[in-house]
Amino acid sequence: MAANSLRALKRLPDGTCNPITTDAEGLRAALADSKGQGLLWIDLFITSPEDAWPLSDVFGFHPLTIEDCVSPRVDPAKIDDYGDYIFIVVQALTEYVENTELEAAEVDFYLGANYVVCCRQVEVPALENYRSRLERGERVPGNSPEWLLHGLLDALVDEYLPIVDAVDDTIDNVELQMLEHARPGLLQQILTVKRNALRLRRATTPQRDIMNRLARNEFPQLVHAETSIYFRDIYDHLVRIEYLVEGLRDLADGALQTYLSVVSNRLNEVMKVLTATATVFLPLTVITGVYGMNFEENQFPSFGAGWGFAAVVIFMFLNSVLMLSFFRYRRWI
C-alpha cells in the first residue's frame, strides 16, 4: 500500500479526534468502538487495487462497489442501497485552468450506521480542506455519519460555483478579444468552453438526482428526516448550478456564432476588395490584350503614330479612375 493512501479519523461525541492505527486490527477495533461513541471516517486514496484492502477485509463491502472504486474510469454519479450501507458515486472537478478542459475525478462514499468511507484516486482539494477543518476541531452537527456525509458532499458541490464563474469569465474574455481581432486561436478557446460546459452539465445533473433522493428520505435507516432537509439545500445548489451551466452553453453558442459572423464579415470585406481590384483591371487587361495582338502598322489605328502608346496609357488610367470613383459613389468600397 502506498504511503499516506489510508487516513482514518475518529470523532467522539465531544468533538475530539482520536488517532487510529491504519492496520486491519486497528481499523476493526475503531469500527467496533465507534458504535454509539461517535463516528469513523476512512479516507482511502487508491493508487492500485491493493490499496482497496480495507473495503473487503475490514468492512466487507460488495465486490461490485469495490470494482467501481478501483476502476480507472470515471463513472457517472449514482446511489445504491445495500441494506446496512449505501454506496454513492459523485464527481469532483479539478482546478480550472483557462483554455484547458476540465477533468472530472470520481469520489466514492460508503455511508454506514457509524462510519463514512471515502475512496478516490486523485487529490481533491475540497476533501483535503474539509478534513483539515475537522482536525482543527470543527464540529459535525449531530456528530453522526449522515451529517459527515452532508459536509463532504456540500464541500464538493461548493467547488462547482467558482468553476462556473471562471468559465463565464473566460467567455467574456473571448468575446472581448473577438471584437478586437478574430484570430484563429479563439475558435479553439470557444470549443474548449463548450466542452467544459458540457462536462459541468454531465457532472451536475446526475448528482442533483442523488441529492433529491437523499432529501426525500428514501434511506430512513441511515439518513433521518431531520437531516434529509439539509441534503435538499445541496440539491438547491445543484439546481442553481445547472441553470447557470445552461446559461454558459447558450453564451458559448452565442460566442461561436459571433466568431463565425466576424470571420465571415472579414472574408466578405477581403472578397469585396479583391473583386473591385479585379473589376478595375479587367478592362485594362482587355485593352492590353487587344493591343498585344500581331497586327501590321497599317491594319490597326495608331500603331504607326507616335502618340498611340501615350493615348492608350492615358485612356487606361482614366478608365481606372472612373471605375474607382463609381465604386466609391455606390459605397461598394
Side-chain angles (χ1 to χ4, degrees):
M1 183 175 62
N4 299 324
S5 62
L6 172 61
R7 290 171 291 188
L9 180 67
K10 180 182 177 181
R11 288 180 61 85
L12 299 178
D14 60 1
T16 59
C17 300
N18 282 353
I20 300 174
T21 56
T22 55
D23 57 9
E25 293 300 326
L27 291 178
R28 291 191 185 98
L31 181 61
D33 292 342
S34 60
K35 294 181 179 179
Q37 301 183 34
L39 62 97
L40 179 65
W41 177 21
I42 304 296
D43 187 14
L44 190 59
F45 191 86
I46 299 176
T47 57
S48 65
E50 291 74 19
D51 293 332
W53 63 267
L55 303 181
S56 57
D57 295 352
V58 177
F59 294 93
F61 293 137
H62 196 282
L64 288 178
T65 66
I66 299 176
E67 181 182 353
D68 287 337
C69 293
V70 301
S71 174
R73 68 177 182 273
V74 178
D75 296 314
K78 65 177 182 178
I79 181 170
D80 294 322
D81 188 359
Y82 286 88
D84 294 336
Y85 61 91
I86 56 177
F87 178 65
I88 302 174
V89 177
V90 297
Q91 290 186 10
L93 295 176
T94 57
E95 183 180 1
Y96 176 71
V97 179
E98 190 173 3
N99 302 326
T100 60
E101 292 191 35
L102 287 169
E103 294 293 337
E106 179 180 335
V107 182
D108 306 304
F109 293 102
Y110 294 90
L111 174 65
N114 60 323
Y115 62 83
V116 173
V117 179
C118 171
C119 304
R120 52 204 171 96
Q121 299 184 16
V122 297
E123 293 290 341
V124 180
L127 298 181
E128 300 294 339
N129 295 335
Y130 189 75
R131 187 174 188 276
S132 298
R133 286 158 49 191
L134 291 185
E135 290 177 337
R136 290 196 302 267
E138 180 176 317
R139 290 189 60 85
V140 175
N143 206 54
S144 63
E146 56 192 311
W147 281 104
L148 176 60
L149 177 67
H150 169 270
L152 292 169
L153 294 175
D154 189 48
L156 292 177
V157 172
D158 285 344
E159 294 297 318
Y160 277 63
L161 190 57
I163 293 177
V164 172
D165 292 337
V167 175
D168 191 15
D169 293 339
T170 299
I171 296 177
D172 292 339
N173 185 36
V174 168
E175 290 178 339
L176 290 175
Q177 296 181 55
M178 196 184 308
L179 295 176
E180 296 175 358
H181 177 59
R183 54 187 176 83
L186 290 178
L187 178 60
Q188 181 62 38
Q189 295 183 33
I190 295 172
L191 295 178
T192 300
V193 168
K194 287 177 63 66
R195 285 194 294 270
N196 286 338
L198 180 60
R199 191 176 296 273
L200 282 166
R201 184 176 183 274
R202 288 177 176 174
T204 55
T205 301
Q207 290 177 189
R208 180 200 62 186
D209 297 335
I210 289 176
M211 301 308 161
N212 189 30
R213 293 184 63 184
L214 291 172
R216 292 204 309 262
N217 199 25
E218 288 190 17
F219 313 98
Q221 73 279 11
L222 295 173
V223 181
H224 300 90
E226 61 272 16
T227 311
S228 61
I229 190 173
Y230 290 90
F231 287 98
R232 191 178 307 162
D233 180 65
I234 303 179
Y235 170 82
D236 292 338
H237 289 171
L238 287 171
V239 170
R240 179 191 174 198
I241 291 171
E242 188 176 10
Y243 173 77
L244 294 175
V245 170
E246 290 298 326
L248 288 180
R249 297 182 65 191
D250 293 339
L251 289 175
D253 289 336
L256 179 59
Q257 294 301 321
T258 302
Y259 174 83
L260 296 177
S261 298
V262 171
V263 171
S264 178
N265 289 336
R266 285 188 59 198
L267 180 60
N268 290 338
E269 291 294 329
V270 172
M271 292 303 298
K272 183 168 63 175
V273 173
L274 293 178
T275 302
T277 303
T279 305
V280 171
F281 278 93
L282 179 61
L284 307 185
T285 304
V286 172
I287 295 172
T288 56
V290 170
Y291 275 84
M293 297 173 67
N294 295 324
F295 287 103
E296 297 293 337
E297 292 184 2
N298 57 355
Q299 291 180 326
F300 203 86
S302 75
F303 261 50
W307 50 266
F309 176 74
V312 171
V313 171
I314 292 173
F315 176 77
M316 294 168 62
F317 175 76
L318 292 176
N319 181 79
S320 301
V321 171
L322 290 174
M323 292 186 69
L324 289 173
S325 300
F326 178 74
F327 294 160
R328 188 68 174 174
Y329 171 75
R330 297 300 300 268
R331 295 186 178 179
W332 291 349
I333 60 174

